Amino acid sequence: MSNEEFRAAMSRLAAGVVLVTAVEPPLGAGGPRGEDVGMTATAFLSVSLDPPLVLVSLRNGSRMDDLLAEQPLWAVSVLAESQRHIAGRFAMKGRISDRLLFADIPYTRGEVSGAPLVGGALTVLECRTEQRVEAGDHTLVVGRVLSVGFPSGEGSPLMYFRGRYRHLA
């Protein structure tokens, strides 16, 4: 089996789309808040109800992987179908700075994590890393959910299937 065959097989598994966000730590004690960082993910799932745990898979060496190795607080916004443009923007490789990526996206700051929570998302979660597990070319980050919110409360989820964003039909 080749990498391409495996990728093609996994592309046939529909997945919800989330935006994972965190804030870089300030430079020095009392310094200004660091830059907001975000990435689109489809490898995200609920792990446990008691305690409430979720898991996200991060590519080794990615900016988010490096950040969450030192910053334990992060957030997840479960994107609605109408937020396809947000998913696409944060999934781009070789993109512009994260500060510009967040520029015209409505968000609030999480009370616990300080991370951006996307306005209009189906749900938002603030998490603290409990465990990191190396798994091939990815790191599985297990986070304890510290708070949840429902910015829009309604709508259909954004799905990813066969290499494209899709809607439920």
Side-chain angles (χ1 to χ4, degrees), residues 19 48 120:
L19 184 68
S48 168

Side-chain angles (χ1 to χ4, degrees), residues 36 56 63 99 102:
D36 294 326
V56 65
R63 186 167 180 195
R99 180 169 288 123
F102 283 100

Side-chain angles (χ1 to χ4, degrees), residues 55-71:
L55 178 146
V56 65
S57 179
L58 306 174
R59 184 177 41 80
N60 290 343
S62 68
R63 186 167 180 195
M64 188 62 72
D65 180 43
D66 292 344
L67 176 56
L68 294 190
E70 68 174 281
Q71 164 62 283

Side-chain angles (χ1 to χ4, degrees), residues 74-153:
W74 44 284
V76 175
S77 298
V78 178
L79 299 180
E81 182 179 46
S82 62
Q83 296 175 313
R84 178 183 307 219
H85 65 289
I86 295 172
R89 180 186 296 185
F90 282 88
M92 293 186 309
K93 293 182 181 182
R95 59 188 192 206
I96 58 176
S97 82
D98 286 289
R99 180 169 288 123
L100 295 175
L101 287 173
F102 283 100
D104 61 348
I105 294 175
Y107 68 87
T108 58
R109 291 217 174 266
E111 291 182 23
V112 177
S113 67
L117 305 172
V118 177
L122 297 179
T123 192
V124 293
L125 304 98
E126 292 186 89
C127 307
R128 180 185 66 233
T129 299
E130 293 282 308
Q131 187 176 6
R132 292 173 55 87
V133 178
E134 297 300 321
D137 59 1
H138 278 65
T139 299
L140 307 178
V141 179
V142 177
R144 180 181 294 251
V145 179
L146 304 173
S147 73
V148 298
F150 306 94
S152 74

